[in-house]
Amino acid sequence: MSSQKKLPKVGLLYLDYVLRFFDKSNFRGWPDKIEVVTYHWGKDKDRFIKEVKRKKIEVLVGNIPATAYDTFREIAAALPNVRFIPSVETQYSNKSKENVTRFCKKYDIAIPRTEIFYDKKEGDNYLKKAKYPQIVKRSYGPSNYGGYYVHKVDSYKEAAALFAEKKYVPIYTQDAIDLKDSGDVRVMLIGHKPVCAFWRYSGTGEWITNTSQGGSMSYENVSMDILELAVKASKAAKAEYWACDIAVCAKTNKPYILECATAFAAFPYIRDWICQYIMWDISNGKFRKPFVPLYSWEQLGKMDPNVLRTLRHLYFSQHDALPSVDGAFFVERKDAFNMELTDESNRADISDLLLQTLQESDLPKVVTAPDQDENEFEDYAVATEDTDTKELEIEEDDNKISINSASVEELITLPGMGEKTANQVVEKREETPFTLIDELKKLKGFGKKSFEKIMDLIKV
């Protein structure tokens, strides 16, 4: 580091029973103490605000779950001198599928035609005349569990039966896209630069592409127009880090946003890159900006996942003088995207959308996303789901910590899991792998209450 200017006081935002996206190890090299502030559910706003002030936190890093979004708008307003990363405004689309639609509509970002009804009669009338198949989603909730609240209906009869059973409010229904290669693309960005992208294909006989539900992955052949759409969404959101799920129409090759959010299933090295970027940002350049070559994911994707899980703090070197021959190719490309600082967000970014949401949740109105060419939505289709701010809007199964493969460092991020217990987990599985998560309760000093804190965050 070149300057002696005081670094800001950093805090990590945690919530009880919510899987932690970052921990202190992601901020390797940060010289000052990093604080931790945990929000406890239920009337904890005032205490939380006081703790942030008492610890003199200037930058608070962490994702906000959908069910706590409105509370954190109030918390952020009470802490005007604290920078939230991501900002509350940036996390607007995390709250619900409805918010994703409004966000894309406001910034003219391509999405499938989507209808949102608060009036059941109006919604039912639309479903009677809609073109099928339709993709129905639960718009809002604590988590969408990697597609478990996304449904394909092939007729009005199926749609009516689904809403009668699920009672989703609002009625959120989307024209299905004839998917290219029966898959969609997850794109992850840092500072508006794509750092990872991969196709997700549905399993045999399935239509949901989530890998947690039997889908497969491929890191190859992610086209530039897919990346350009993801970058457009990231810049509109003013997001330090961002992810999009993008569908490509098989008939036109046009990409469309299905989901977007600041919380997503991310590999450990992606989380490290995000925090390297954050340190570069908040230190005014004292820490170097991460350099991640475009399409590096094609090579990283060839590595065994178990290696990547333990290969922390990957760092690419940027050329100081002349790049190599292949490096020159990417440097000279106009479309390669540079990692950059995000614009400062403000309340005006979402104020009109918030007002619209409040009005339409109380009144019988319909929200319609921009019409697309009807011919693009005729055949078999899919829309995937996974970024409902994962209680943090995550693909739950993808982000659950595997007690059969997680490192001690990863295990101790779980609520109430200390290093001693984490080492017990590792020792036990080395003898005999876990077959059920309930087997954790057999560990010495790890009882029922401890297990209940983490049971929704782990898998075998």
Side-chain angles (χ1 to χ4, degrees):
M1 295 187 297
S2 58
S3 172
Q4 296 302 313
K5 185 176 180 180
K6 184 177 178 294
L7 296 171
K9 190 67 172 291
V10 176
L12 296 179
L13 167 61
Y14 292 150
L15 292 93
D16 288 332
Y17 315 120
V18 175
L19 188 61
R20 297 175 180 180
F21 196 56
F22 300 123
D23 60 40
K24 295 177 182 179
S25 70
N26 296 123
F27 288 86
R28 185 179 65 166
W30 192 256
D32 300 332
K33 179 182 179 182
I34 295 177
E35 300 286 355
V36 170
V37 187
T38 302
Y39 178 82
H40 310 295
W41 297 97
K43 298 181 180 180
D44 192 43
K45 180 179 69 174
D46 292 339
R47 184 211 61 81
F48 183 88
I49 292 170
K50 288 178 182 177
E51 184 172 354
V52 172
K53 290 181 177 179
R54 177 175 58 81
K55 292 183 174 180
K56 299 180 179 180
I57 292 172
E58 299 168 86
V59 178
L60 192 58
V61 181
N63 293 296
I64 301 168
T67 45
Y69 181 78
D70 291 325
T71 299
F72 270 87
R73 283 178 50 227
E74 298 174 2
I75 289 173
L79 297 168
N81 297 321
V82 176
R83 176 180 173 183
F84 283 71
I85 298 180
S87 70
V88 177
E89 292 77 23
T90 293
Q91 297 191 64
Y92 170 82
S93 62
N94 287 340
K95 182 181 177 182
S96 67
K97 308 309 158 196
E98 176 185 4
N99 282 18
V100 171
T101 300
R102 295 183 188 280
F103 165 77
C104 290
K105 181 179 178 181
K106 175 176 179 177
Y107 293 106
D108 192 28
I109 298 169
I111 55 173
R113 178 177 177 176
T114 305
E115 306 285 351
I116 305 170
F117 298 91
Y118 282 95
D119 183 88
K120 286 180 62 177
K121 186 175 181 180
E122 286 190 44
D124 189 65
N125 287 337
Y126 173 79
L127 290 168
K128 287 178 180 177
K129 62 182 181 181
K131 181 175 291 186
Y132 288 88
Q134 288 281 305
I135 304 301
V136 171
K137 304 180 183 182
R138 185 179 72 171
S139 175
Y140 173 78
S143 175
N144 277 325
Y145 298 105
Y148 290 104
Y149 295 105
V150 180
H151 316 269
K152 181 171 72 72
V153 291
D154 293 309
S155 66
Y156 166 72
K157 183 178 180 180
E158 288 186 16
L162 177 68
F163 281 107
E165 176 189 356
K166 301 295 185 181
K167 297 180 172 58
Y168 291 158
V169 178
I171 292 174
Y172 183 104
T173 186
Q174 191 172 75
D175 280 358
I177 297 177
D178 181 15
L179 288 182
K180 182 177 181 180
D181 298 332
S182 299
D184 66 1
V185 180
R186 163 66 60 82
V187 183
M188 304 177 195
L189 307 97
I190 304 173
H192 311 321
K193 182 183 180 71
V195 296
C196 186
F198 50 86
W199 285 90
R200 306 185 304 178
Y201 304 112
S202 56
T204 303
E206 300 291 335
W207 63 277
I208 291 284
T209 63
N210 288 78
T211 54
S212 61
Q213 292 174 252
S216 59
M217 297 168 56
S218 171
Y219 291 87
E220 299 180 352
N221 301 318
V222 177
S223 63
M224 189 58 67
D225 55 350
I226 292 173
L227 302 182
E228 287 171 347
L229 180 60
V231 170
K232 181 178 180 179
S234 176
K235 288 187 174 181
K238 301 178 180 178
E240 288 89 358
Y241 53 95
W242 188 250
C244 300
D245 292 339
I246 295 176
V248 180
C249 178
K251 295 178 180 178
T252 66
N253 277 326
K254 183 175 179 179
Y256 295 95
I257 293 284
L258 296 177
E259 307 291 348
C260 51
T262 57
F264 45 90
F267 307 112
Y269 63 87
I270 297 288
R271 296 196 292 269
D272 288 327
W273 288 347
I274 292 172
C275 291
Q276 290 165 10
Y277 171 86
I278 291 172
M279 289 193 292
W280 168 68
D281 181 348
I282 64 178
S283 70
N284 292 317
K286 289 183 180 181
F287 285 82
R288 60 180 177 174
K289 178 174 64 174
F291 177 73
V292 183
L294 197 65
Y295 290 110
S296 61
W297 54 79
E298 290 187 348
Q299 299 305 316
L300 292 173
K302 297 174 183 177
M303 298 176 67
D304 186 283
N306 290 321
V307 175
L308 288 176
R309 188 176 293 116
T310 57
L311 190 59
R312 296 288 306 278
H313 307 295
L314 286 169
Y315 215 106
F316 294 100
S317 296
Q318 187 169 15
H319 58 86
D320 294 321
L322 294 176
S324 61
V325 174
D326 56 344
F329 171 76
F330 286 102
V331 169
E332 292 169 1
R333 287 182 64 163
K334 302 297 184 184
D335 54 6
F337 311 115
N338 290 319
M339 192 175 287
E340 57 188 86
L341 290 174
T342 59
D343 291 335
E344 183 178 354
S345 61
N346 56 71
R347 291 207 156 194
D349 292 336
I350 61 166
S351 59
D352 56 334
L353 296 176
L354 288 170
L355 179 61
Q356 187 182 17
T357 303
L358 292 172
Q359 289 173 338
E360 290 176 351
S361 62
D362 294 331
L363 299 173
K365 295 190 180 228
V366 56
V367 181
T368 306
D371 290 351
Q372 311 293 347
D373 182 354
E374 288 189 355
N375 291 328
E376 297 179 12
F377 305 107
E378 289 181 349
D379 301 321
Y380 181 75
V382 60
T384 66
E385 173 60 70
D386 77 335
T387 51
D388 182 35
T389 334
K390 42 180 179 204
E391 261 333 326
L392 241 26
E393 265 120 338
I394 54 176
E395 282 185 330
E396 179 164 288
D397 284 349
D398 278 359
N399 274 272
K400 284 184 177 181
I401 289 180
S402 170
I403 56 177
N404 275 329
S405 60
S407 65
V408 170
E409 187 179 54
E410 290 174 303
L411 289 169
I412 62 177
T413 65
L414 293 165
M417 175 76 75
E419 187 172 350
K420 183 177 179 180
T421 305
N423 281 317
Q424 285 189 68
V425 172
V426 174
E427 290 171 4
K428 192 274 178 189
R429 76 189 187 206
E430 287 178 349
E431 294 176 3
T432 308
F434 292 95
T435 57
L436 297 170
I437 61 172
D438 297 60
E439 294 172 19
L440 283 179
K441 290 185 286 188
K442 298 178 181 180
L443 297 179
K444 185 177 180 180
F446 197 80
K448 180 180 178 181
K449 289 185 177 180
S450 297
F451 175 75
E452 288 175 349
K453 289 182 180 180
I454 66 171
M455 59 186 294
D456 293 329
L457 307 177
I458 58 175
K459 63 182 178 181
V460 294

